[in-house]
Amino acid sequence: MSARKRPWAEPFKIKVVESLSMLDRPGRAAALEQAGFNTFLLRSDDVYIDLLTDSGTNAMSDRQWAALMIGDEAYAGSRSFFHLQDAVREIYGYKHLIPTHQGRAAEHILSQLLIKPGDIIPGNMYFTTTRLHQELAGASFVDVIIDEANDPQNEHPFKGNVDLDKLQAVIDNFGAHRIPYICIATAVNMCGGQPLSLQNLKAVSALARRQGIRIVHDATRCVENAYMIHNNEPGYADRSIAEIVREICDLTDMCTMSSKKDNLVNIGGFLAANDDEFAEQARNMVVVYEGLHTYGGLAGRDMEAMAVGIRECVDLEHIKARVGQVYYLGRLLEEAGIPIVKPIGTHGVFLDAKRFVGHLSPEVFPAQALAAEIYLDSGVRTMERGIVSAGRDPKSGRNYGSELELVRMTIPRRVYTQAHMDVVAESVIEVYDHRRWITGLEMTFEPKFLRFFQARFRPLATTPVAQLTSTDAQGATASSGARHRRPT
Ligand SMILES: *Cc1c(COP(=O)(O)O)cnc(C)c1O
């Protein structure tokens, strides 16, 4: 018998549909101009396929929609809170649950409770909101991720790993007393959705315990990380996703969670911890900023949908299809020779703007310009993850450097089909073919916090076309400023 490969299909059928709209090219050009060349400022009605983020953009299941109806909207002691607590205890294993309206609210409460001014937080690469809350509480973040994470072409299977020597050096340098916790993210977003291995986490946990330092787990994409461990870490192929998630969580002391990702809901998050005293303080603080500790800024129905989503997301068929779809898009681009971050991430495909638009220097925001160009080409919305997202050092005011200059194409869970991925790939390939005509941007408005969300740009003024004749922009040195006209 021949081992003929059968085609793959999404492991669900569609019960409700939402129409997509598509502007023509002049319409997209006008929309882009109005949005200040920042894809965050586009109206979603002007977007065809929306790969801006996988945050809160999930399609809920019929079971989750049904769960909304049984939400208990009691102000205090809601039944839905207890359902959510059971689900968090069962899947993630932490003893105490403090619901919050989304992940950054959990980060805020945790940072305010654990950080003193002058503290140091080591972590496996920063995340925008996470680092901001650490800084607002008076701490400085120190990146202790392995060097491979900063090399888009390095195919290390666990680029989210912590470099234990870097971590030890931070402890030696500042002293354990200045480190309230180590911040460990699973499936590290900012380097392209890269997992860490359980072997690495075990070593981090052992080191942290010896030093008496807690580990705070950013569990936002823990399930995606667990799936990569299941696939690639020796000894885990036979373990269920739920078992692996539990093993990860058991090596850490507490977690912050944005349920808008793994947990398959549109809004929600939580703080969960094993420490009784910390949990008591967090429950006290949540009433100040979010709402009573049995709803924390969520409606009862939201908590019901989260409880169902938490159990659904560890289903192997689900997570296999979710990450598989990202890989499908990644492979289409790889085969076409498009420079992407490797290995392909768990939640999105990241274009390497440094190679894609190699003729643009960092000061003209190459990834921001590329994201704008992709929208203009097809109405596909992506986002910048580079120098704009990195922001500025609050003390010196200088731009944080960013080794990685990426455009993130994040895939919402269960929303688009394989055919949509084909359309996306075609547009990116088209843009790659005319990449020499992509011009840099200048920032015309810069907000104080998390500037990537609201910054505005304009294309650099027309100057004589740079001497780019090769079809391969790689290695080109022309430093931007050139406003090229795309032939029509
Ligand atoms: C989205 C996200 C957060 C913040 O959560 P929100 O729900 O957007 O507030 C924190 N950490 C990571 C890794 C995230 O992806």
Side-chain angles (χ1 to χ4, degrees):
M1 282 217 297
S2 75
R4 195 156 54 89
K5 200 168 179 296
R6 296 200 169 184
W8 177 90
E10 287 79 10
F12 49 79
K13 54 183 178 175
I14 296 165
K15 196 176 311 213
V16 177
V17 297
E18 181 181 343
S19 296
L20 293 174
S21 59
M22 196 178 182
L23 292 178
D24 57 9
R25 192 177 172 99
R28 294 195 295 273
L32 193 60
E33 189 95 41
Q34 256 205 338
F37 291 78
N38 183 349
T39 51
F40 272 102
L41 299 179
L42 287 166
R43 288 167 174 243
S44 90
D45 277 348
D46 295 339
V47 171
Y48 174 39
I49 297 174
D50 202 351
L51 307 187
L52 183 77
T53 176
D54 65 337
S55 178
T57 52
N58 304 303
M60 294 208 297
S61 67
D62 51 355
R63 286 162 192 272
Q64 285 178 292
W65 281 104
L68 290 182
M69 283 306 298
I70 57 166
D72 174 6
E73 306 303 343
Y75 188 91
S78 162
R79 178 175 67 237
S80 302
F81 166 79
F82 294 101
H83 289 167
L84 178 60
Q85 188 177 58
D86 288 347
V88 170
R89 283 182 177 161
E90 179 189 319
I91 302 299
Y92 295 98
Y94 301 103
K95 184 171 164 195
H96 300 283
L97 165 73
I98 296 100
T100 59
H101 79 280
Q102 62 183 83
R104 71 197 71 183
E107 291 171 342
H108 170 222
I109 290 167
L110 176 125
S111 302
Q112 292 294 327
L113 287 175
L114 295 183
I115 292 171
K116 303 184 301 303
D119 280 352
I120 302 292
I121 313 290
N124 55 345
M125 200 167 264
Y126 82 97
F127 183 74
T128 52
T129 58
T130 318
R131 182 177 65 191
L132 178 59
H133 281 296
Q134 291 161 359
E135 289 172 348
L136 289 172
S140 303
F141 174 80
V142 182
D143 196 350
V144 294
I145 202 164
I146 57 171
D147 288 339
E148 286 87 339
N150 284 312
D151 175 2
Q153 280 162 287
N154 187 300
E155 304 226 22
H156 191 298
F158 294 105
K159 280 165 105 174
N161 279 354
V162 171
D163 183 325
L164 292 154
D165 293 334
K166 286 188 197 169
L167 177 57
Q168 186 64 56
V170 173
I171 297 170
D172 294 344
N173 245 336
F174 297 98
H177 65 286
R178 284 182 63 190
I179 305 175
Y181 60 91
I182 301 166
C183 187
I184 296 295
T186 30
V188 182
N189 194 344
M190 298 303 282
C191 62
Q194 305 292 334
L196 90 172
S197 69
L198 260 166
Q199 186 191 27
N200 183 255
L201 183 58
K202 282 178 190 162
V204 173
S205 169
L207 175 60
R209 261 169 244 275
R210 277 200 305 279
Q211 299 283 347
I213 305 173
R214 276 175 289 230
I215 297 183
V216 173
H217 174 202
D218 184 336
T220 300
R221 293 190 177 80
C222 181
V223 176
E224 289 170 359
N225 197 125
Y227 177 66
M228 299 314 285
I229 290 173
H230 172 85
N231 278 353
N232 296 332
E233 187 161 354
Y236 288 92
D238 296 330
R239 305 279 298 280
S240 73
I241 301 302
E243 283 170 334
I244 299 171
V245 166
R246 206 39 199 279
E247 190 169 340
I248 294 171
C249 294
D250 287 350
L251 290 163
T252 68
D253 299 282
M254 51 185 77
C255 85
T256 55
M257 180 72 177
S258 170
S259 293
K260 301 172 72 173
K261 324 292 177 41
D262 268 357
N263 291 165
L264 297 166
V265 287
N266 303 118
I267 193 72
F270 57 83
L271 183 57
N274 294 324
D275 182 320
D276 298 337
E277 200 184 309
F278 170 83
E280 204 47 59
Q281 290 171 352
R283 273 193 281 268
N284 192 227
M285 197 149 167
V286 85
V287 293
V288 180
Y289 291 102
E290 292 283 289
L292 196 70
H293 59 278
T294 54
Y295 73 85
L298 293 167
R301 55 179 174 267
D302 295 332
M303 294 191 285
E304 285 294 345
M306 272 167 76
V308 176
I310 285 171
R311 292 194 176 95
E312 278 180 7
C313 74
V314 295
D315 174 66
L316 182 60
E317 283 312 309
H318 157 69
I319 191 67
K320 200 169 163 181
R322 189 278 185 282
V323 177
Q325 188 179 44
V326 179
Y327 268 67
Y328 176 80
L329 174 61
R331 289 207 183 100
L332 287 177
L333 296 176
E334 223 172 357
E335 280 159 20
I338 308 294
I340 61 170
V341 174
K342 289 187 199 169
I344 295 162
T346 53
H347 66 303
V349 179
F350 291 66
L351 302 175
D352 183 1
K354 277 190 182 169
R355 285 185 292 146
F356 198 121
V357 278
H359 60 291
L360 299 182
S361 61
E363 350 25 298
V364 301
F365 310 112
Q368 189 79 33
L370 179 53
E373 188 67 22
I374 293 169
Y375 171 75
L376 188 61
D377 181 73
S378 58
V380 171
R381 173 155 70 170
T382 62
M383 72 171 282
E384 192 257 14
R385 275 300 186 217
I387 190 130
V388 182
S389 292
R392 290 178 188 273
D393 181 331
K395 290 196 194 96
S396 71
R398 275 198 295 271
N399 278 322
Y400 275 122
S402 175
E403 292 212 31
L404 295 174
E405 183 67 21
L406 310 176
V407 169
R408 188 180 82 175
M409 299 190 291
T410 346
I411 319 292
R413 294 167 190 78
R414 308 193 289 209
V415 170
Y416 294 114
T417 63
Q418 200 155 290
H420 290 109
M421 298 301 113
D422 293 339
V423 170
V424 171
E426 202 175 283
S427 169
V428 172
I429 293 164
E430 164 75 27
V431 170
Y432 190 64
D433 287 345
H434 72 251
R435 64 194 179 279
R436 289 176 298 145
W437 290 282
I438 298 173
T439 176
L441 299 172
E442 67 180 323
M443 204 185 288
T444 56
F445 169 65
E446 178 173 350
K448 186 162 173 221
F449 299 116
L450 302 174
R451 66 182 180 185
F452 60 97
F453 283 132
Q454 290 149 334
R456 300 184 70 86
F457 302 83
R458 77 169 153 244
L460 283 157
T462 310
T463 56
V465 168
Q467 312 73 350
L468 279 164
T469 45
S470 156
T471 47
D472 189 353
Q474 210 173 340
T477 49
S479 83
S480 76
R483 177 98 171 103
H484 307 297
R485 285 270 159 245
R486 189 185 162 194
T488 41

